Amino acid sequence: MDAEEWDERYAASDMVWSAEPNHFVVTLVSDLKPGAALDVAAGEGRNALWLAEQGWQVTAVDFSSVAVERGRARPGAEAVDWQVADITTYAPDDHFDLVLLCYLHLPRAVMRTVLRRASSWVAPGGRLVVVGHALRNLTEGVGGPQEADRLQDVELLTEVSADLVVERLEEVERDTPNGTAHDIVLRAVRR
């Protein structure tokens, strides 16, 4: 999908995703001391806004201008630096205490490059947090991309976090109204 398709998707409903932060993001981030955070592919900003409420200085980036405008219109949005940018070419000016990628699913070769770049944006002592649909979800779960090339696995996340210390990397289950989804989570720190 390109930015125009996502703009159409966001424009077609009041809210594409839940207003609440992702459960795994809350679990993986709650014990961290707030600092500078980058929410990659932030969509309407549910995680960015929650991070800001927790005291983080958040930059939220998405290539859908409709999603970013929706984020900017939500309560508390003034605490977030909203940016419209293509994450495949995005180059931040600084490093972050938290780089978050939540359900970003690109073709594997592109995703590998984006994840490596995102890893390089993590400041010393900072964390890379990734939450995505696991490859296993294609055959055993519900929802998410229906192309294996767009799903994540332990091998990919191990490879792209090789310069970090992995604190948690595992597949997890998530109950949905349509059944169980299989996701994958990564939290890694730059020492």
Side-chain angles (χ1 to χ4, degrees):
M1 290 186 128
D2 61 21
E4 189 173 300
E5 289 176 282
W6 276 102
D7 283 345
E8 290 173 9
R9 185 172 180 185
Y10 282 112
S13 66
D14 289 338
M15 183 164 273
V16 173
W17 314 113
S18 160
E20 299 301 314
N22 176 271
H23 164 75
F24 296 122
V25 171
V26 172
T27 300
L28 293 165
V29 173
S30 287
D31 68 330
L32 301 179
K33 179 182 173 189
L38 175 64
D39 186 357
V40 175
E44 298 155 311
R46 66 185 183 144
N47 295 314
L49 291 165
W50 177 80
L51 288 168
E53 288 173 2
Q54 307 311 305
W56 291 86
Q57 298 163 335
V58 183
T59 300
V61 178
D62 200 282
F63 74 168
S64 169
S65 60
V66 173
V68 169
E69 286 307 312
R70 290 234 174 126
R72 285 180 178 145
R74 294 192 50 206
E78 66 283 349
V80 175
D81 174 16
W82 301 92
Q83 298 181 15
V84 177
D86 182 343
I87 198 58
T88 64
T89 57
Y90 180 72
D93 295 330
D94 209 347
H95 288 85
F96 298 87
D97 302 301
L98 172 65
V99 177
L100 171 64
L101 295 93
C102 188
Y103 296 107
L104 174 62
H105 293 280
L106 302 168
R108 193 171 185 94
V110 177
M111 190 69 187
R112 179 179 289 113
T113 299
V114 168
L115 285 166
R116 282 184 179 146
R117 292 177 67 233
S119 174
S120 75
W121 303 332
V122 177
R127 302 306 198 284
L128 173 67
V129 172
V130 180
V131 178
H133 295 287
L135 179 59
R136 183 167 78 127
N137 196 61
L138 186 62
T139 56
E140 299 177 35
V142 298
Q146 297 301 299
E147 304 163 52
D149 188 51
R150 291 182 178 263
L151 297 169
Q152 299 165 15
D153 57 24
V154 169
E155 178 185 338
L156 173 65
L157 295 182
T158 298
E159 176 188 334
V160 300
S161 62
D163 63 335
L164 304 173
V165 177
V166 173
E167 297 175 315
R168 182 176 176 190
L169 174 55
E170 65 180 321
E171 288 190 14
V172 292
E173 292 184 351
R174 178 173 44 90
D175 292 328
T176 77
N178 298 321
T180 301
H182 297 275
D183 291 339
I184 191 162
V185 298
L186 165 70
R187 184 171 114 165
V189 62
R190 181 171 305 289
R191 296 279 184 218

